[in-house]
Amino acid sequence: MAEKYDIVIVGAGPVGLMFSACLLRLGPYKIKHIDNRAEPTATGRADGIQARTLDVLQNMGLKRSIMSYNPGRVYEVAFWNASDENGIRRTGNSKSYPDYIDTRYPFSTIIHQGRIEKILLDDLGHRGVEVQRPWTIAGFREDSRDPTDPLEVDLVSVDGNKRSRLRTKYIFGADGPRSVVRQMLNIPMVSKDPTVHVWCVIDGVVKSDFPDIQIKCAIHSSTGSAMIIPHGNNRVRIYLQIFPKPGEQPLEFATLAKTQQVANVIFSPYKVEWESVEWHSAYRIGQAIASSYTLDQRVFIGGDACHTHSPKAGQGMNYGFLDAHNLAWKLHLVETGFMKGSLLGTYEDERKLAAAKLVEFDARYANLFSSRQSSNREGQNSEFVQVFKENSLLTSGYGVSYPPSPLTRASRTASGPLRTGHSFPTATVTRVVDAHVAYLEQEIPFNGSYRIYIFAGNRATTSQAINHLTVHLQLRGSIFRRYQRKEVDLSYEKRHNPHSDFFTFLVIFHAQRSSVDIHECLPDFLACYKYHIYADDYQGPDKKQATAHIKMGFDIENGGVVVVRPDGYVGLVMDLVDGRRTAEALDGYFAPIVPEQANIPALATL
Amino acid sequence: MAEKYDIVIVGAGPVGLMFSACLLRLGPYKIKHIDNRAEPTATGRADGIQARTLDVLQNMGLKRSIMSYNPGRVYEVAFWNASDENGIRRTGNSKSYPDYIDTRYPFSTIIHQGRIEKILLDDLGHRGVEVQRPWTIAGFREDSRDPTDPLEVDLVSVDGNKRSRLRTKYIFGADGPRSVVRQMLNIPMVSKDPTVHVWCVIDGVVKSDFPDIQIKCAIHSSTGSAMIIPHGNNRVRIYLQIFPKPGEQPLEFATLAKTQQVANVIFSPYKVEWESVEWHSAYRIGQAIASSYTLDQRVFIGGDACHTHSPKAGQGMNYGFLDAHNLAWKLHLVETGFMKGSLLGTYEDERKLAAAKLVEFDARYANLFSSRQSSNREGQNSEFVQVFKENSLLTSGYGVSYPPSPLTRASRTASGPLRTGHSFPTATVTRVVDAHVAYLEQEIPFNGSYRIYIFAGNRATTSQAINHLTVHLQLRGSIFRRYQRKEVDLSYEKRHNPHSDFFTFLVIFHAQRSSVDIHECLPDFLACYKYHIYADDYQGPDKKQATAHIKMGFDIENGGVVVVRPDGYVGLVMDLVDGRRTAEALDGYFAPIVPEQANIPALATL
């Protein structure tokens, strides 16, 4: 009998590791994780974590490990251009993320791929998953011999000496731009722009009189383009565009010595001297997207296997991480009986759309970056700067939104930052039970639960609506009732999920914390969530009360309700009203998501 | 020949460990560290880190280790009193630290002593110091046989089987309220209040319907007093006052079962059920201060060896930490030739005064806490609440200030938060070189350097004053010149100290960051501090510019200069003016501190 796994993950770069890390937070999944490299990445390669990605990593409990490396932080970008006189000069500056971007982290975090892989590998190790390497996938087929684990997979060690056959429910290919899994699925890459640029990159320690050496810079000199990424602790990355002859291998052309020489010409009149070099590479890059992200909702691909683009906007690892994050909770909810299998199609719908926007921006940005003729005089790259600024919402990650679907229902006219399909806005409130300052968007860890935020406004006004809501949620036939445990679990361990692992309720009163007595203010059903009752009374450093209600576009009297998906994206926004309408709207959101009752597997009663 | 050490530290509780951790950040000190316990504290005992202490630990790079435990955070205190009807009821609330307290951390951090000791022991281990245990000090004497290491010390293992003799420069006794070192010095404890209270304490996990079980509470019921300290992660500490007969041992009287029973009576009508108990103790406590903190500036005591008081205000470990921190940099500067040995006397002057204020407050607070007659009706403990609130500046740690001395010179009329003898206020600015948001008070780690902040106002206005200042600092005869290296060290490693390990200059312009070109704006002497040039252009979440200049009480045109001691306390505040006056004022500050030139030992040229 072949050994059985819940999933086979091919590739242990950041995206594959992220997918394992996500799944292991959702359930005790049995994972076979392989990589065709003998060792993890030591250094170099991907290096940028954008703000929305840091949110997601924080929600998974991984931000502290990242910050312990004291990574680089990019708060600003400087633009340098050819001047008439003597080499380059600074022509402008821009914040990485302008003020209108709603984030706790107004900077890009810079940490090389070696450290990212180490953080994720350590996390997996603590959870009992080791990556098997150097192994690759030799083939797979779907058959009906075992309906629970319909896939038969053949693995082989890279030296060809060892083979194993196993059965699994799913395969996830996170095996990079030349993905073997994608090739096995015969999924073509669709190129978006025929232009291919060649870039080389050096990581290390420089001694330089260039004043912005610790700031992200986009440099257009009369001899070529360059980019600086500060890595923190005196380390920098420098990208340089190079021009090998057709057919010449980038790395053959761009030796380290040649690269360093090119840099000094571009940076003139400044000098760049390398005290040490940690990593050096060169490659051609184009923009392309896989025509499909899956076969039969059983075999999926994600990350660079699905989309390739230039590294200039620092997006690759970020889009890959969010691919993995997006698919993991959906797979989990399907496996535990809370979601119809057909909704796995939203993985491709959502992430391919996001990738398409990225690739479109990147093609434009990369062309402008490389265009020497348009930028050899200062001020003439205003189009470049404009494209950079216009896209900062996209590059921060907060500009990615998902189209209408059963998971994101445009239920209310958008106004303000709370919009279905977008990530839930940041909001700071006070937790009632312990008076802690709480970041509302981070209060529920990535655990597969839907997060139902009840902005309860003024208690005197909304108490009837809240009572009606809970009464109707408890009625026979309600989807909430269907997925509830037989007994409420009031233990600390289940504080997010006393009724069910599929949903958490959070209640935010527009009131002073000390005036909220949980048991007086709430029916028992909601009082169970005692760690998730909040007062919207937080005053920031400016001692001005910034109410979460108003930020969300809710009335401070009447409140409103928000359904947030387990990945932090808003699924539904609705009013909080007397009678059965609010409960019906909630039920109406979940009805097209959950399977017919008959299909709920045993796990759902967990 | 007896082995030689720079210092012998007796006691490896938090205070002794802190002292080692401080010294090892200042130089390669050879430390003999002993403790008479076979094992470190496992759990329980001290549990509160106040905001100013967290500042200090952050400045030593230890805050992240503390936060990795996800400790409790006390943002609020609730007051509960006997009601006429049926047991206790809440009569009020207060923030732990009111808004007027200038801190990055508006909460007390709660983490038990076992974890604190582990964090510090790990830190020492990484720096090559292991605690020798169970060993104690058998005796010491000062003689003239070795003028460099004038102390001969005898150590003995606690079982009496092993002995060793060594020579050292200093001894630090951090061996608790029954300090052996203090007894050897014949230093008496002076009692401040004859009242002795007996309290018991339980740490663990409770199941309770008491609504404020996760908030710090001061409870006065008609049957006794209690206090709750939330430890985070569902754990709490409960203190209870008990009344053993005279002569009866507290722990014999207050068995765990008895304590739990007393708690349930005090908390009535609420129930407190213990799911698990981690630690339980009972003890008598009075208020006393050692009449002296040192003998001959060679043997010092600190922490509980110097001051005892009730644990109610959560201060013991904090005052002990700051004792150790205060002494460590002074010893270091004496040993490296930057400070006269006689200034070690300021350790006792400063810390004994601080302890006296604490003990005075604590005696009053503890008596009010225990006074059953004055609090058996609700509202009647308003004096208690008033004393609590009045002293929140003191209990936050920011209320501790040091008296005038050569180290803290009242050079300018105080207005606003910048005052000599107080800790340097928080201020957020933008670092020029990398556009990072910088916390000015944290920019220089605890490394023994004086921090000289030049608030440079408007560059056009102050450029002449700054040029004059640096010219005069470089003149033969200037104290700065005397302590400078032969060659400026521009390496990244010496970025805080290019000229000397004894001082760092920081320059803050009132300007937009991108308008500051370091080499254009500053003479070479100050441009060396390229990581410490800032723009006072930071805008907070409210997008309102809160200038550091104005917070410090400086004019945004003319600026001013602040000398901050290596422990973060303000030593001198002065104007920034043309001519030699500013340089003379700086020199005039250091002149009474540094030894006569002839006495500088070899280390000073480091």
Side-chain angles (χ1 to χ4, degrees), chain A residues 57 95 106 157 181 221 270 284 388 436 462 464 475 580:
Chain A
L57 292 166
K95 285 194 178 186
S157 62
V181 176
S221 86
Y270 302 100
R284 291 171 204 279
F388 172 85
H436 277 213
T462 59
Q464 183 158 324
L475 288 182
R580 45 194 301 167

Side-chain angles (χ1 to χ4, degrees), chain A residues 297-330:
Chain A
Q297 315 297 357
R298 283 284 167 190
V299 186
F300 297 89
I301 53 176
D304 288 354
C306 295
H307 37 78
T308 65
H309 40 82
S310 87
K312 296 302 147 312
Q315 296 298 318
M317 183 163 67
N318 295 274
Y319 273 68
F321 274 172
L322 295 190
D323 287 348
H325 192 243
N326 186 291
L327 178 58
W329 69 272
K330 294 173 181 172

Side-chain angles (χ1 to χ4, degrees), chain A residues 224-514:
Chain A
S225 297
M227 188 162 176
I228 300 180
I229 310 283
H231 274 212
N233 306 313
N234 204 32
R235 310 185 101 72
V236 296
R237 166 169 294 187
I238 296 184
Y239 286 107
L240 298 161
Q241 193 172 17
I242 52 170
F243 303 94
K245 296 183 202 92
E248 196 174 11
Q249 282 305 311
L251 253 177
E252 276 169 31
F253 176 79
T255 60
L256 179 59
K258 174 83 166 274
T259 306
Q260 290 171 331
Q261 188 195 327
V262 169
N264 263 317
V265 176
I266 292 178
F267 279 83
S268 169
Y270 302 100
K271 298 243 169 313
V272 175
E273 194 183 309
W274 292 87
E275 284 190 8
S276 65
V277 171
E278 201 170 69
W279 182 66
H280 164 236
S281 188
Y283 45 84
R284 291 171 204 279
I285 204 79
Q287 284 82 18
I289 297 188
S291 68
S292 168
Y293 279 28
T294 181
L295 177 78
D296 288 351
Q297 315 297 357
R298 283 284 167 190
V299 186
F300 297 89
I301 53 176
D304 288 354
C306 295
H307 37 78
T308 65
H309 40 82
S310 87
K312 296 302 147 312
Q315 296 298 318
M317 183 163 67
N318 295 274
Y319 273 68
F321 274 172
L322 295 190
D323 287 348
H325 192 243
N326 186 291
L327 178 58
W329 69 272
K330 294 173 181 172
L331 265 195
H332 170 70
L333 291 190
V334 168
E335 281 304 298
T336 47
F338 192 75
M339 192 186 273
K340 286 178 187 147
S342 60
L343 285 173
L344 289 176
T346 60
Y347 165 60
E348 178 176 312
D349 298 343
E350 293 181 346
R351 296 306 302 166
K352 200 172 150 188
L353 183 70
K357 282 185 188 161
L358 168 65
V359 159
E360 187 189 346
F361 153 66
D362 184 64
R364 202 170 156 210
Y365 190 59
N367 278 331
L368 285 169
F369 217 121
S370 305
S371 112
R372 286 199 288 182
Q373 63 284 11
S374 78
S375 63
N376 58 357
R377 289 295 176 273
E378 59 184 287
Q380 289 192 11
N381 71 343
S382 59
E383 189 187 352
F384 174 80
V385 174
Q386 206 182 320
V387 168
F388 172 85
K389 290 187 178 179
E390 278 172 14
N391 285 281
S392 49
L393 195 60
L394 186 72
T395 54
S396 74
Y398 294 101
V400 171
S401 64
Y402 297 141
S405 80
L407 302 180
T408 52
R409 298 266 289 279
S411 48
R412 193 184 145 123
T413 313
S415 80
L418 179 69
R419 285 180 287 171
T420 50
H422 288 73
S423 55
F424 185 64
T426 66
T428 308
V429 294
T430 310
R431 203 185 292 134
V432 167
V433 76
D434 58 10
H436 277 213
V437 173
Y439 290 179
L440 211 45
E441 77 281 8
Q442 285 287 352
E443 279 289 283
I444 311 301
F446 181 68
N447 64 1
S449 283
Y450 264 92
R451 307 155 185 187
I452 300 160
Y453 291 88
I454 302 175
F455 287 84
N458 179 352
R459 178 194 159 202
T461 308
T462 59
S463 68
Q464 183 158 324
I466 286 174
N467 282 332
H468 288 172
L469 170 63
T470 55
V471 166
H472 284 98
L473 290 179
Q474 297 282 71
L475 288 182
R476 199 169 285 274
S478 131
I479 285 166
F480 291 89
R481 170 93 181 250
R482 202 196 299 173
Y483 284 94
Q484 259 177 248
R485 292 193 184 80
K486 289 214 168 57
E487 285 200 33
V488 181
D489 185 340
L490 292 174
S491 70
Y492 181 72
E493 289 62 38
K494 286 287 179 193
R495 65 197 179 280
H496 309 309
N497 303 94
H499 294 109
S500 159
D501 287 342
F502 298 116
F503 52 85
T504 305
F505 285 90
L506 306 92
V507 184
I508 306 99
F509 287 102
H510 190 264
Q512 289 298 307
R513 188 202 70 81
S514 58

Side-chain angles (χ1 to χ4, degrees), chain A residues 64 67-68 73 75-76 90 93 99 211 214-215 233-234 432-437 492 513-514 531 539 541-544, chain B residues 64 67-68 73 75-76 90 93 99 211 214-215 233-234 432-437 492 513-514 531 539 541-544:
Chain A
R64 191 169 275 147
M67 291 304 167
S68 73
R73 293 180 183 205
Y75 285 92
E76 277 197 27
R90 192 195 297 123
N93 283 77
D99 289 343
Q214 293 293 340
I215 289 182
N233 306 313
N234 204 32
V432 167
V433 76
D434 58 10
H436 277 213
V437 173
Y492 181 72
R513 188 202 70 81
S514 58
Y531 283 91
Q539 297 191 328
D542 52 341
K543 312 297 172 209
K544 218 172 51 192
Chain B
R64 191 169 274 147
M67 292 304 168
S68 73
R73 293 180 183 204
Y75 285 92
E76 276 197 27
R90 193 196 297 123
N93 282 79
D99 289 343
Q214 294 292 340
I215 289 182
N233 306 312
N234 204 32
V432 167
V433 76
D434 58 10
H436 277 212
V437 174
Y492 181 72
R513 188 202 71 80
S514 59
Y531 283 91
Q539 298 191 330
D542 53 341
K543 311 300 172 208
K544 218 172 53 192

Side-chain angles (χ1 to χ4, degrees), chain A residues 5-317:
Chain A
Y5 288 86
D6 292 313
I7 187 157
V8 174
I9 300 173
V10 183
V15 180
L17 294 173
M18 177 73 168
F19 192 66
S20 267
C22 285
L23 280 181
L24 293 170
R25 280 162 170 74
L26 300 174
Y29 287 99
K30 190 172 173 193
I31 297 172
K32 170 66 80 178
H33 201 150
I34 63 166
D35 191 278
N36 63 6
R37 301 169 300 162
E39 298 288 341
T41 301
T43 189
R45 303 184 66 181
D47 70 349
I49 297 178
Q50 305 303 340
R52 170 61 188 146
T53 314
L54 198 59
D55 260 352
V56 164
L57 292 166
Q58 160 82 326
N59 201 233
M60 295 172 67
L62 290 167
K63 175 168 163 270
R64 191 169 275 147
S65 311
I66 291 167
M67 291 304 167
S68 73
Y69 281 104
N70 196 16
R73 293 180 183 205
V74 174
Y75 285 92
E76 277 197 27
V77 181
F79 304 102
W80 288 72
N81 278 303
S83 71
D84 275 335
E85 312 132 35
N86 182 14
I88 54 172
R89 51 169 290 185
R90 192 195 297 123
T91 54
N93 283 77
S94 174
K95 285 194 178 186
S96 293
Y97 303 149
D99 289 343
Y100 59 76
I101 296 180
D102 173 42
T103 177
R104 304 272 179 196
Y105 318 112
F107 51 84
S108 306
T109 304
I110 310 295
I111 180 169
H112 66 64
Q113 187 171 334
R115 288 179 170 167
I116 289 288
E117 288 187 16
K118 181 169 179 352
I119 289 164
L120 290 167
L121 283 166
D122 286 351
D123 184 74
L124 266 50
H126 291 140
R127 295 164 193 270
V129 169
E130 299 291 335
V131 176
Q132 183 175 318
R133 59 173 90 217
W135 278 64
T136 186
I137 185 165
F140 64 87
R141 63 214 64 84
E142 193 168 345
D143 61 36
S144 54
R145 281 190 289 161
D146 180 346
T148 325
D149 296 281
L151 296 170
E152 186 176 72
V153 184
D154 288 318
L155 304 180
V156 58
S157 62
V158 165
D159 60 13
N161 290 337
K162 280 177 274 181
R163 293 186 159 269
S164 72
R165 172 165 291 183
L166 49 87
R167 292 199 72 90
T168 189
K169 295 182 181 66
Y170 299 101
I171 296 171
F172 184 61
D175 48 348
R178 283 179 293 274
S179 171
V180 172
V181 176
R182 188 187 67 222
Q183 289 166 28
M184 288 173 174
L185 296 174
N186 282 317
I187 294 175
M189 291 298 279
V190 181
S191 182
K192 290 290 166 182
D193 186 326
T195 327
V196 170
H197 301 294
V198 186
W199 285 79
C200 60
V201 52
I202 312 180
D203 282 5
V205 177
V206 299
K207 227 162 98 176
S208 177
D209 56 353
F210 183 67
D212 285 353
I213 195 73
Q214 293 293 340
I215 289 182
K216 180 169 169 177
C217 294
I219 300 167
H220 293 88
S221 86
S222 56
T223 60
S225 297
M227 188 162 176
I228 300 180
I229 310 283
H231 274 212
N233 306 313
N234 204 32
R235 310 185 101 72
V236 296
R237 166 169 294 187
I238 296 184
Y239 286 107
L240 298 161
Q241 193 172 17
I242 52 170
F243 303 94
K245 296 183 202 92
E248 196 174 11
Q249 282 305 311
L251 253 177
E252 276 169 31
F253 176 79
T255 60
L256 179 59
K258 174 83 166 274
T259 306
Q260 290 171 331
Q261 188 195 327
V262 169
N264 263 317
V265 176
I266 292 178
F267 279 83
S268 169
Y270 302 100
K271 298 243 169 313
V272 175
E273 194 183 309
W274 292 87
E275 284 190 8
S276 65
V277 171
E278 201 170 69
W279 182 66
H280 164 236
S281 188
Y283 45 84
R284 291 171 204 279
I285 204 79
Q287 284 82 18
I289 297 188
S291 68
S292 168
Y293 279 28
T294 181
L295 177 78
D296 288 351
Q297 315 297 357
R298 283 284 167 190
V299 186
F300 297 89
I301 53 176
D304 288 354
C306 295
H307 37 78
T308 65
H309 40 82
S310 87
K312 296 302 147 312
Q315 296 298 318
M317 183 163 67

